Amino acid sequence: MISRKPIFQKPADDILYPVRNKNGEIETLVNPNIDTALTTDTDSKTNVVYNRYHHLPLETQRQRLPVFQYRNHILYLLEKYQTLILIGETGCGKSTQVPQYVYEVGHKVCVTQPRVTACVSLACRVAEERGATLGEDVGYAAAMTSCRTPDTGIVFMTEGVLLREMFASPLLMQYTCIVLDEVHERSQMTDVLMGLLKKIAKKRKNLKIVVSSATMDAEFLKDFFNLGDKNSHTNTSVIMSMQGRTHPIDVFYVEEPVADYVKATVDTVIKIHENQPFGDILAFLTSQEEILAALDTIQIYAEENNEKNKYRKSFSSGIQAANLSVLPMYGSLPLYRQIKVFQMGDKNVRKVILATNIAETSVTIPGIVYVIDCGFHKLPYFDPVLGVECMSVCPVSRHNATQRAGRAGRVARGMCYRLYTEAEYEKLPESVPPEMSRSDLSSLLLQLKALGIHNLLRFTFPTPPPAKSLLSGLETLYALDAIDKAGNLTEAVGNKMAELPLRPMCAKMLCNSGEFGCVDEVLSIVAMLQVEGVFVRQVAGKDKMTARVVRRNNFEVVEGDLIMYLNVFESYSKVKNTQRDEKLQRKACKDWCQKMFINYRVMEKACEIRKSLEKLIKENFKIENKEFEGLDLGTAKSRRVMKCVVSGLFPQAASLSVEGSYKGIRGAKLHISPDSCLFHVQQPTWVVFASVQSTGDKVFMREMMTIEKEWLLEIAPHFYTHL
């Protein structure tokens, strides 16, 4: 099909923002307050804080935040109601200021965040604002790290940590106020915490709950947390929306569907640049690959445009000529490059930002006047029939489309160009299904079992998960011997697995490591599986080939990626242990990492994780290596390590098919990832894998290891009746 340039129709009156809802009240898309000072990106692989008022005193910065004017309203509503639903856009100050307001009136506050980096950065920021030492009045507790005391008044923590605190204190008596932040993401843990906090709120009437969100169905949350009597019409929850100044947004649709939305995005950027007044452009695409493809094309145009501007003052349309600066924005982009998106551009230079859905709610980019919405985004989903989680490109919801459009109405009247027809917009679903409805539930079910919630079908999930996903999760736990036939946690394995902050399969590997006599080796492998980006990828030219040779000669083995990661960790540990002085040790490690094209920060994180896991395994669980007769030579030891890995990953095994691809145990068609060290060798007959990655129409296995078919029958005969 020949790709046409998109032709947009003029917006009708009924799609002009702001609009009125059914009650006649004016709706605002987002909170486009031009005084927004703090912007936090809580994307899974990055954390960006952009503060345009950093030169002002901290107290003045706090007062510039939009939330400041609502302080007394928030405290009044929290005194009158048990649950406050607080709706306000990213950057309004709710994450940093609301916990302080509540703490200042005498509450002991716990603030949950979906990600570790957000926890640490917010705790540092709040401690700085209060002039306190981090760990005293303000602290944090994340998956494998903690900085707090029993008397800390404001604690930022990941949702998983709060869930684990319920093991020791089911009613969370150590806190008087719980702030659930970033609820709009509707992660698994968020939904579970909402269900558990509703139960706790019924028992503890004096516990205050603040549910904070950038965008969310507020009425849904209010009804969920309302514990009042329906007959007497008493409410225990209330909604407060922090709205700022809003500018109208003109929404344009294409007259005919576009064949290639990446090419259409490029064409629309050029059309806006040459025909519309000055203002920055934000274009939404689905992935890093699409962003880089569009970036290359627009960059060529930008260079030609900037050169021609030396000899002209305006375009043929009469619009003043301006230079173009093209910037990408996606999760794995290095921090210093992400910061460029937020920095003020030079005079008469229009910024074009190509972003994934990070820029939809997680970050606030100032100066945006034009938004281009491709109409698609990437979502992970778990297929219980195939037993693998895949990333799929799918249409956005109307809620997402509204959010994207709202990014334009910040500094002036904005324009949103949607690369789909108005008829298609009407067909879009109202909202995206929460993660609970499209993910593997085995880890979640294990946590709920450990909390004593046995009747999982009666648990008050905000959105009940599909029955197939629940059944698949329970089957996995039963196969791993975490639960028995009655559905109760097993004493030997289940209780230990629940205490480990890991996926059930990794937890099972650690619990079995003593029996196979390889505790230290499996600790290293599991620690390396908790981090990403071990090898530096941002290399070009001759360095790219050098990095490939270094990796192949020093670490890669025919057994696969998991043993390769063990080699990397052990080599790093040897370098680290050669120096006793901390400064010399750091320098030696950095030099070694640079030489080997390995990410130093990632390795340090892996060391921290291993240290925490080692304490649990060796000190709490008292797991020790079983002694084996005879010489414990390399080959025998490596086979035991590999068998121990199989004892956890056996549900994720795959065999080579006649077609050349791999077939999962439940029928999924899989391929070896190009990043795997097994990609360049003869394909093994049987493998296990720790995760999958979906690109286009293919599902790639990552973190792989070769195995023998007999091991599956030996280690998991209950799962493999015949092969």
Side-chain angles (χ1 to χ4, degrees), residues 273-457:
H273 181 61
E274 295 184 353
N275 295 280
Q276 294 294 346
F278 189 82
D280 293 342
I281 303 169
L282 171 62
F284 287 96
L285 292 169
T286 68
S287 64
Q288 179 181 336
E289 292 78 17
E290 289 180 0
I291 286 172
L292 295 177
L295 182 72
D296 290 342
T297 309
I298 299 175
Q299 195 67 53
I300 293 168
Y301 168 80
E303 288 169 5
E304 292 175 359
N305 170 80
N306 297 353
E307 185 64 32
K308 287 178 182 177
N309 283 349
K310 294 176 182 177
Y311 311 103
R312 66 182 176 190
K313 289 188 177 180
S314 62
F315 294 112
S316 55
S317 61
I319 294 294
Q320 183 182 344
N323 288 351
L324 266 186
S325 171
V326 194
L327 301 167
M329 182 68 182
Y330 49 85
S332 57
L333 197 68
L335 184 64
Y336 73 93
R337 292 188 65 190
Q338 291 181 19
I339 293 294
K340 289 181 181 179
V341 169
F342 302 98
Q343 292 170 345
M344 290 286 288
D346 295 332
K347 189 178 179 182
N348 205 38
V349 176
R350 190 199 297 263
K351 281 194 299 186
V352 178
I353 297 150
L354 305 172
T356 59
N357 54 358
I358 294 175
E360 194 175 300
T361 55
S362 296
V363 296
T364 304
I365 303 170
I368 301 298
V369 177
Y370 306 98
V371 165
I372 302 169
D373 178 8
C374 72
F376 292 91
H377 60 175
K378 265 192 175 181
L379 278 183
Y381 74 94
F382 175 74
D383 188 341
V385 177
L386 300 179
V388 295
E389 189 171 80
C390 306
M391 290 291 288
S392 175
V393 175
C394 55
V396 297
S397 66
R398 274 180 283 173
H399 183 78
N400 295 127
T402 304
Q403 272 303 304
R404 290 181 173 188
R407 297 283 137 178
R410 297 292 175 122
V411 293
R413 188 185 189 99
M415 293 185 181
C416 175
Y417 296 83
R418 290 176 174 164
L419 302 178
Y420 44 93
T421 62
E422 191 170 3
E424 286 301 317
Y425 172 77
E426 295 299 331
K427 294 177 186 176
L428 293 175
E430 187 67 33
S431 59
V432 171
E435 189 185 356
M436 180 74 70
S437 305
R438 50 184 173 81
S439 58
D440 181 12
L441 301 178
S442 56
S443 183
L444 183 70
L445 298 177
L446 183 64
Q447 300 295 325
L448 290 176
K449 287 284 184 185
L451 284 168
I453 298 168
H454 301 299
N455 194 343
L456 298 169
L457 296 176

Side-chain angles (χ1 to χ4, degrees), residues 28-34 36 66 88-89 92 242-245 410:
T28 51
L29 285 169
V30 286
N31 177 16
N33 193 310
I34 57 174
T36 294
E89 68 158 31
C92 69
M242 294 184 292
Q243 296 178 348
R245 290 186 293 277
R410 297 292 175 122

Side-chain angles (χ1 to χ4, degrees), residues 55-299:
H55 59 286
L56 298 175
L58 285 171
E59 191 58 36
T60 309
Q61 290 183 40
R62 291 184 66 188
Q63 292 173 11
R64 289 289 182 98
L65 291 166
V67 72
F68 179 73
Q69 61 186 307
Y70 297 101
R71 182 184 188 277
N72 292 338
H73 300 281
I74 292 168
L75 295 176
Y76 169 75
L77 290 174
L78 205 54
E79 185 179 339
K80 192 173 180 183
Y81 296 90
Q82 188 172 10
T83 304
L84 171 62
I85 315 300
L86 194 61
I87 307 297
E89 68 158 31
T90 304
C92 69
K94 61 187 183 301
S95 298
T96 56
Q97 304 307 305
V98 173
Q100 294 186 66
Y101 299 159
V102 179
Y103 173 66
E104 285 162 5
V105 294
H107 283 283
K108 192 166 183 185
V109 191
C110 165
V111 190
T112 68
Q113 290 289 330
R115 301 179 182 89
V116 176
T117 46
C119 264
V120 178
S121 62
L122 287 171
C124 292
R125 173 69 189 183
V126 172
E128 185 185 359
E129 286 184 3
R130 302 197 65 79
T133 304
L134 187 64
E136 294 180 1
D137 286 351
V138 184
Y140 65 85
M144 299 286 179
T145 179
S146 176
C147 181
R148 59 170 171 166
T149 67
D151 299 321
T152 301
I154 305 174
V155 184
F156 288 85
M157 61 175 64
T158 50
E159 294 160 334
V161 171
L162 183 60
L163 195 65
R164 289 177 187 287
E165 287 203 359
M166 290 183 190
F167 292 168
S169 175
L171 295 179
L172 296 174
M173 298 301 291
Q174 64 271 40
Y175 304 112
T176 58
C177 180
I178 308 289
V179 180
L180 284 180
D181 202 6
E182 304 290 351
V183 173
H184 59 267
E185 296 191 12
R186 292 297 301 274
S187 65
Q188 267 191 20
M189 283 294 182
T190 303
D191 277 21
V192 169
L193 280 181
M194 285 199 285
L196 291 169
L197 285 174
K198 184 176 180 178
K199 284 179 173 290
I200 294 171
K202 289 177 182 177
K203 298 283 185 183
R204 286 187 63 194
K205 299 296 182 185
N206 62 337
L207 177 69
K208 301 295 181 181
I209 301 170
V210 180
V211 182
S212 173
S213 170
T215 59
M216 187 64 188
D217 185 351
E219 286 295 335
F220 166 77
L221 287 173
K222 180 188 171 185
D223 294 340
F224 180 75
F225 280 102
N226 186 20
L227 306 176
D229 187 0
K230 291 182 181 178
N231 297 325
S232 61
H233 302 289
T234 55
N235 289 324
T236 62
S237 60
V238 65
I239 300 168
M240 180 177 171
S241 181
M242 294 184 292
Q243 296 178 348
R245 290 186 293 277
T246 178
H247 298 277
I249 299 162
D250 296 333
V251 180
F252 297 83
Y253 296 90
V254 292
E255 289 183 346
E256 296 179 4
V258 297
D260 182 348
Y261 61 78
V262 178
K263 186 179 184 302
T265 299
V266 173
D267 292 338
T268 308
V269 166
I270 295 170
K271 185 183 286 188
I272 291 170
H273 181 61
E274 295 184 353
N275 295 280
Q276 294 294 346
F278 189 82
D280 293 342
I281 303 169
L282 171 62
F284 287 96
L285 292 169
T286 68
S287 64
Q288 179 181 336
E289 292 78 17
E290 289 180 0
I291 286 172
L292 295 177
L295 182 72
D296 290 342
T297 309
I298 299 175
Q299 195 67 53

